[in-house]
Amino acid sequence: MTGNNKQRYRFSEAPIWNIQRKYYEEQGTKAWNNDQVPQYITSNPMIATAYAEMIFGFLQDRANKEYRSEPVFIVELGAGAGRLAYHVLYELCQLRDYAGTSLPGFRYIMTDLAMNNVMAWKEHPALQSFITEGLLDFAQFDAVHDTVLNLVVSGKTISEGDLKQPLIIVANYFFDSIPQELIYVGDGHIYEADVDVEYPEDNDSLKPSEWLDQITLHYEHRRAPEYEQETYPYRDVVSIYQEQLEDSYILFPAAGINCLERLNQLSPSGFLLITADKGDHLLDNWRFAEPPELILHGSFSLTANYHAIQHVFEQRGAAALFPPHHYININVGCILHLDKPMDYPNMRLAYRRCIERFGPDEFFSMKEWVDRHQDSMGLQQILSFWRLGGYDAEFFIQSTKRISSLLSDANDEEKQDILRGIQLMWSSYYVMEQRYDLALDAGLLLFEMGLYEHSKRYLEISVLQDQDEVVSTVFYCLVICCFELDLVEDAGRYLRKLLELEPDHEEALALISHLSTS
């Protein structure tokens, strides 16, 4: 790092934001490989189920209102790897089918800045049934500029006033990753906080993640009377900071609020925002706030200012739902920018039930503890937490070694519960470009339990998924499964594959000899 390449910018216009865009455009869905950019906390089945419950409650509330024959559109901003959308849709369809009541239809629109993400979702195997059913579409959407949604599958464009029902907006890890203003409050005045960016010497040759890792930020502030004028569109909330805060740096989400205002134009009936982020809705959490630091994870993120978003829309008649307690890892909130927001009791009850009483933040805190103490947990504890998390594949992958060690003492009921959990997990599994083989782990565990028919199914899926990486143990297990199921021809086929990989495998040689003489 050298100091000869240094420039000052207004924070919202600093080059970090263009680098952020470039990172996501270049990486596409690979940005979320193995949690390079975090996705689990906002995309796991537990949080998706909570969102589906709130959306289902909203559909129940809309069932007897105006335009009930029109579909409700759900727009996810920055859908990323696509895992959240998949789990929300999966659970929402489960709720719809289970309830069997008359509801408005719904359409889920996944959006992102990067077009390669949009095209990757369109081809993802797990999403095809939703596309076929007409429940899912996609659109490239620039949250800073765009005003319409150009749908990829249907070819339709959603423009101002096109929607009759209120719009549902889903925004996870979104407001912390788009441009924000930075103001400083001191001595009863508002200052613009500019940033000096000190570049690495050879910055033109660096990848976006390398560039972000090597820059240095320094902050200076200057008087900005425009924030104190009545003509400033968000003067009301800025005046609160001016009057009640001191020596505080405030990230101000002007771009985020503007994005919501543009989306609000799509429907005269308003919107419901469901959002989760590292974001503070309590004013006290901004008191004496230090200058922001970029949280790096390939790209970067900051803290979202939910207080400002909440205040702006409450001043316009909206109702906001945020937990009354302090969050630890993720804050989940809703803003009902609707006519008579209190007329949505099912949606609000779902928030109370699935977020306020025990929600994704509490679940993630528990999961961190479970991850550290898994080796001392019993089988019932593991099964209970797996069930609480919606039979999540990631937790199963982490738990297979411990489950295996407990199988010798497991009873038949526990083994059946493990089988049922694997089946439910597999039925709602969203494949990402990760380094693990879920089918293999499931098949080997079922083999240990002596459930050979089920084991054979998953082991064969594993073999088909990556035929060049199969180890001899997998073929040996398949041989035993086939013998146990009286599938002698299949057993012989897998024996030959096993001996191709390991010609001196003693058990395989004995079995092939047995087959030859029988």
Side-chain angles (χ1 to χ4, degrees), residues 260-274:
L260 294 175
E261 290 172 333
R262 280 180 280 115
L263 289 172
N264 185 51
Q265 297 302 309
L266 301 180
S267 171
S269 300
F271 66 79
L272 164 67
L273 170 67
I274 303 175

Side-chain angles (χ1 to χ4, degrees), residues 245-507:
L245 300 181
E246 178 63 33
D247 189 22
S248 302
Y249 285 85
I250 308 296
L251 286 160
F252 194 82
I257 295 171
N258 185 261
C259 175
L260 294 175
E261 290 172 333
R262 280 180 280 115
L263 289 172
N264 185 51
Q265 297 302 309
L266 301 180
S267 171
S269 300
F271 66 79
L272 164 67
L273 170 67
I274 303 175
T275 180
D277 222 318
K278 303 185 307 295
D280 290 317
H281 66 283
L282 301 173
L283 182 63
D284 278 350
N285 290 347
W286 294 99
R287 204 174 300 278
F288 302 111
E290 297 288 334
E293 293 185 12
L294 304 186
I295 307 301
L296 300 179
H297 33 62
S299 59
F300 73 89
S301 58
L302 296 164
T303 299
N305 187 345
Y306 280 143
H307 174 270
I309 297 172
Q310 174 181 349
H311 184 85
V312 165
F313 286 101
E314 281 184 333
Q315 291 296 104
R316 302 174 186 179
L321 302 174
F322 281 94
H325 51 269
H326 296 84
Y327 81 98
I328 303 299
N329 297 289
I330 187 172
N331 197 4
V332 182
C334 294
I335 293 178
L336 295 85
H337 186 54
L338 306 160
D339 183 39
K340 299 180 181 178
M342 298 306 289
D343 285 356
Y344 290 82
N346 289 301
M347 186 273 147
R348 292 187 295 106
L349 284 168
Y351 181 88
R352 181 179 184 273
R353 183 173 64 249
C354 300
I355 306 296
E356 186 177 314
R357 292 188 65 200
F358 180 90
D361 189 43
E362 289 78 14
F363 173 76
F364 189 76
S365 295
M366 288 181 64
K367 185 178 184 300
E368 289 184 314
W369 184 92
V370 167
D371 290 345
R372 293 192 301 269
H373 296 86
Q374 200 169 89
D375 288 344
S376 62
M377 292 174 66
L379 188 55
Q380 280 301 323
Q381 293 170 316
I382 291 173
L383 289 174
S384 295
F385 190 79
W386 190 28
R387 193 175 301 120
L388 177 66
Y391 295 103
D392 175 49
E394 182 170 318
F395 180 71
F396 176 79
I397 292 290
Q398 295 169 342
S399 306
T400 49
K401 184 177 179 181
R402 178 60 179 166
I403 294 172
S404 175
S405 72
L406 297 169
L407 285 179
S408 60
D409 295 323
N411 58 42
D412 290 343
E413 289 80 5
E414 289 169 330
K415 290 179 181 179
Q416 286 299 312
D417 285 345
I418 293 171
L419 170 61
R420 180 176 181 272
I422 288 173
Q423 291 170 330
L424 289 170
M425 173 187 69
W426 190 259
S427 70
S428 62
Y429 178 47
Y430 184 82
V431 178
M432 294 174 60
E433 296 185 50
Q434 307 283 29
R435 298 194 193 101
Y436 54 71
D437 186 339
L438 183 66
L440 176 62
D441 284 350
L444 292 176
L445 198 62
L446 291 164
F447 181 84
E448 286 188 70
M449 292 191 290
L451 300 174
Y452 298 114
E453 182 178 357
H454 300 288
S455 174
K456 179 177 178 289
R457 176 198 170 196
Y458 291 103
L459 292 177
E460 287 179 333
I461 291 171
S462 174
V463 169
L464 287 172
Q465 285 176 341
D466 199 346
Q467 299 185 36
D468 296 330
E469 297 292 330
V470 182
V471 296
S472 58
T473 302
V474 176
F475 284 131
Y476 182 72
C477 291
L478 280 167
V479 169
I480 300 302
C481 288
C482 292
F483 273 124
E484 292 288 342
L485 298 169
D486 292 327
L487 301 172
V488 178
E489 188 175 325
D490 288 346
R493 179 163 50 88
Y494 286 124
L495 268 174
R496 289 187 288 274
K497 289 178 181 285
L498 170 55
L499 288 170
E500 287 176 13
L501 290 177
E502 197 174 335
D504 298 326
H505 195 288
E506 293 184 7
E507 291 88 347

